[in-house]
Amino acid sequence: HWEIPFVIANSAENSDYDSIMCDDENGAAQAIKFLLELGHKRIAHISYESIHKSVVIRRNIYKKYMTKNALKPKIILKRRDKALEADFIKLIKDYRPTAIFAYHDNIAWELYFICASLGIRIPDDLSIIGINDCENDLEVIPALSTVRIPFKKIGEKAVEMLDKKIKTKQRVKTVSFAEELIIRKSCAAPSPQN
């Protein structure tokens, strides 16, 4: 009987296994609070159709802060196999958001292309913030504001935990890392006509 030691890196939830997770609640809260502090009142959340723990956490934090500030939450759940454009056009027409909190930077990048095709200027007409902090965030114009997941630290800690586990043959523990708000150029105060 072989037992292969392992550590789960970037785990979405605390489990019985040795794992490393991120504080998604705090990361999502930082993004929403930042948009609220800029003065946004019509903030939409675009996420995936999924029951993955991080999707649920970010969605619930969004709803919590919108409700806490007596604001109407508006959520679009994107299917991974379906383009976002039709749902986004309906959102713009019906809700007229001044800001979007995207579940992941990939969704934010898709919004950049859609906004460009519709003549919507970021951040003049619409502020966008995501979560992840991918390298491409600096390549889009304007650079995407995001919440950084510390992947390098997660990787380093996973190696350290795995090494300790191999040497001691004992369970290590679950470790959590903070996420960090990275303010770039994709968010601004809503324009007075909005």
Side-chain angles (χ1 to χ4, degrees), residues 46-86:
I46 301 178
S47 186
Y48 292 114
E49 275 186 357
S50 174
I51 58 167
H52 188 273
K53 186 86 170 179
S54 67
V55 171
V56 174
I57 288 171
R58 293 173 194 177
R59 185 182 316 136
N60 288 342
I61 291 298
Y62 162 77
K63 288 193 277 192
K64 172 185 170 184
Y65 276 89
M66 293 296 283
T67 303
K68 180 179 173 182
N69 287 278
L71 301 173
K72 178 182 171 189
K74 183 64 177 174
I75 299 170
I76 291 180
L77 298 179
K78 177 189 180 333
R79 286 184 27 200
R80 290 182 189 267
D81 63 342
K82 183 181 168 203
L84 181 59
E85 188 167 7

Side-chain angles (χ1 to χ4, degrees), residues 23-185:
D23 186 355
D24 256 345
E25 287 186 20
N26 184 265
Q30 287 180 68
I32 299 298
K33 286 195 268 188
F34 174 61
L35 294 173
L36 290 168
E37 288 167 4
L38 286 173
H40 291 281
K41 304 231 182 292
R42 291 188 314 277
I43 304 166
H45 177 53
I46 301 178
S47 186
Y48 292 114
E49 275 186 357
S50 174
I51 58 167
H52 188 273
K53 186 86 170 179
S54 67
V55 171
V56 174
I57 288 171
R58 293 173 194 177
R59 185 182 316 136
N60 288 342
I61 291 298
Y62 162 77
K63 288 193 277 192
K64 172 185 170 184
Y65 276 89
M66 293 296 283
T67 303
K68 180 179 173 182
N69 287 278
L71 301 173
K72 178 182 171 189
K74 183 64 177 174
I75 299 170
I76 291 180
L77 298 179
K78 177 189 180 333
R79 286 184 27 200
R80 290 182 189 267
D81 63 342
K82 183 181 168 203
L84 181 59
E85 188 167 7
D87 290 334
F88 181 72
I89 290 170
K90 184 171 175 20
L91 173 74
I92 293 296
K93 182 180 165 230
D94 297 345
Y95 185 70
R96 296 183 47 238
T98 59
I100 303 281
F101 166 48
Y103 163 76
H104 191 281
D105 291 351
N106 290 344
I107 292 174
W109 302 333
E110 189 174 348
L111 291 173
Y112 269 66
F113 291 110
I114 296 168
C115 286
S117 73
L118 297 174
I120 297 171
R121 299 166 303 154
I122 302 167
D124 300 337
D125 302 323
L126 182 69
S127 290
I128 299 176
I129 191 166
I131 291 186
N132 213 28
D133 194 30
C134 301
E135 289 179 19
N136 294 351
D137 292 354
L138 297 171
E139 294 174 14
V140 292
I141 297 173
L144 180 65
S145 294
T146 189
V147 175
R148 178 178 291 154
I149 295 176
F151 290 112
K152 185 173 187 234
K153 288 180 182 178
I154 289 169
E156 290 168 350
K157 189 65 175 177
V159 169
E160 177 188 313
M161 288 170 68
L162 189 56
D163 183 57
K164 183 176 180 181
K165 192 171 183 175
I166 290 168
K167 289 177 181 171
T168 65
K169 310 259 189 268
Q170 294 178 2
R171 186 173 192 279
V172 192
K173 62 179 179 175
T174 298
V175 175
S176 180
F177 280 99
E179 297 176 3
E180 175 188 3
L181 178 66
I182 305 297
I183 300 170
R184 295 193 178 111
K185 304 288 184 184

